[in-house]
Amino acid sequence: MKAAVYYENGEPGVLRYEDVADPVCHPKGVVIRVEAVSIEGGDTLNRWRGALRTHPHIVGYQAAGEIIVVGAEVDGLRVGQKVATVGADGSHAELRAVAAASAWPIPDGFDVAKASAIPVTFGTADDCLFEFGRLKAGETVLVQAGASGVGVAAIQLAERAGARVLATASSDERLERLKAIGLDDGINYLREPVSQAVMRLTDNKGVDLVVDSVGGSTLQGSILSLGYRGRVSMVGAAGREPMNVDVSTLMGGNRSLSGVFLGAEIGTPRVRANIQRLIDEAARGELTVIIDKSFPLSRAAEAHAYIESRQAVGRVVMVP
Ligand SMILES: NC(=O)c1ccc[n+]([C@@H]2O[C@H](COP(=O)([O-])OP(=O)(O)OC[C@H]3O[C@@H](n4cnc5c(N)ncnc54)[C@H](OP(=O)(O)O)[C@@H]3O)[C@@H](O)[C@H]2O)c1
């Protein structure tokens, strides 16, 4: 099969389009013919400095397509079925082997590219807001990097739950596009420090919950944006900075900082059912999956570079 591979970490230019061996189906797994690769923030980070589990390495968490092989010990999935899949790596390829427990059926007629972008982004955003963030109707949420994959999901889910939604981005144009999916107030952090803008927009009360997938100095701004009993769901490191944060302001206001990692619970019945629910809701038009741009898999380096240019809103996908 063809795949986008790399032999060393680095900038998008390390990605090459090459022939590699086809993946082998595990007895408890499936192999899909990939129809869409959703490029995750974690994929660009892994390409930059993640471990190379294979040589050459095929990066990538999320891809969707048609099942072509079903493992002998798998019930409930069949050849010809369309599924959205998540794995530790291997999405940037024509074929992909994953555990059957990490393959979610796509409802008939739902766009496979949109389905490819749901499990990690919406599953993570949902956990950040509800399972770990304990969001309630009437509260105010700040979504850092609102135009990101996780951000676009978090804005919609928070709005739908009856929260007021603030979000940050590095451009006014991207913030403007987020209004259509439920953003109430955008903060361009290149023009005003985030915590200052939050206090201005909340009559100095601060927010009840922050979803922070950026980390580093941004995480400090998240902590400083909290109101009394405010919570931060810390879920990523897109900013590529060290996490040297000062947590001293948490205690006085009964505030908290929680780490969230979907991967730790993705194999549980709770998360499996949650992701299927989110896919079904998107298929019914109750959630919006934004595909910003599509590239052929052969142009993976260009697709990664486009993401890192920080122009995208939502997801960039690739088609083998
Ligand atoms: N823990 C988990 O379970 C979990 C699950 C999913 C994702 N994640 C993590 O969450 C993070 C975001 O993932 P994603 O898929 O939402 O990412 P994404 O769609 O690629 O978006 C990343 C966003 O981060 C912002 N950003 C800030 N500093 C940046 C920098 N130095 N370089 C690039 N972007 C920067 C950009 O927005 P602005 O330009 O507007 O600032 C960009 O839109 C990643 O670190 C990922 O690994 C964790």
Side-chain angles (χ1 to χ4, degrees), residues 41 45 124 148-150 169-170 174 189 213 235 237-238 260 262 310 315:
L45 287 179
T124 299
S148 67
V150 172
S170 57
R174 284 151 85 235
Y189 63 83
S213 61
V235 71
V260 178
L262 186 77
R310 295 162 76 169
R315 272 286 161 266

Side-chain angles (χ1 to χ4, degrees), residues 63-275:
E66 185 170 314
I67 295 177
I68 57 167
V69 186
V70 177
E73 297 172 26
V74 174
D75 291 322
L77 292 173
R78 57 177 168 74
V79 169
Q81 196 169 16
K82 306 266 186 182
V83 288
T85 69
V86 175
D89 45 38
S91 77
H92 287 36
E94 287 180 321
L95 302 176
R96 175 189 219 186
V98 286
S102 298
W104 289 266
I106 300 172
D108 286 346
F110 185 44
D111 183 66
V112 172
K114 289 185 176 175
S116 76
I118 293 176
V120 172
T121 48
F122 280 85
T124 299
D126 200 81
D127 267 8
C128 287
L129 293 169
F130 306 112
E131 182 72 10
F132 299 102
R134 308 185 306 281
L135 180 68
K136 295 191 286 290
E139 290 191 323
T140 301
V141 179
L142 170 67
V143 179
Q144 295 277 20
S148 67
V150 172
V152 161
I155 289 169
Q156 294 180 61
L157 295 171
E159 192 262 350
R160 192 171 74 164
R164 177 185 175 198
V165 186
L166 280 48
T168 65
S170 57
S171 74
D172 293 340
E173 296 72 29
R174 284 151 85 235
L175 287 170
E176 198 53 40
R177 285 176 64 187
L178 300 175
K179 298 232 164 101
I181 57 161
L183 175 65
D184 292 304
D185 297 284
I187 298 169
N188 182 335
Y189 63 83
L190 296 180
R191 277 215 304 273
E192 185 179 11
V194 172
S195 58
Q196 183 181 307
V198 165
M199 293 306 162
R200 175 174 57 74
L201 290 163
T202 61
D203 291 332
N204 283 323
K205 288 198 179 78
V207 296
D208 300 292
L209 176 65
V210 185
V211 176
D212 187 330
S213 61
V214 181
S217 54
T218 298
L219 182 58
Q220 192 67 67
S222 297
I223 293 170
L224 293 173
S225 299
L226 292 175
Y228 183 68
R229 285 197 178 212
R231 296 92 62 196
V232 177
S233 287
M234 191 276 273
V235 71
R240 304 185 183 191
E241 291 175 346
M243 298 274 186
N244 299 325
V245 296
D246 174 4
V247 294
S248 60
T249 56
L250 292 175
M251 190 172 62
N254 286 324
R255 304 179 177 108
S256 57
L257 172 62
S258 300
V260 178
F261 177 45
L262 186 77
E265 298 194 9
I266 200 160
T268 62
R270 177 187 74 79
V271 173
R272 184 162 172 81
N274 214 25
I275 289 174

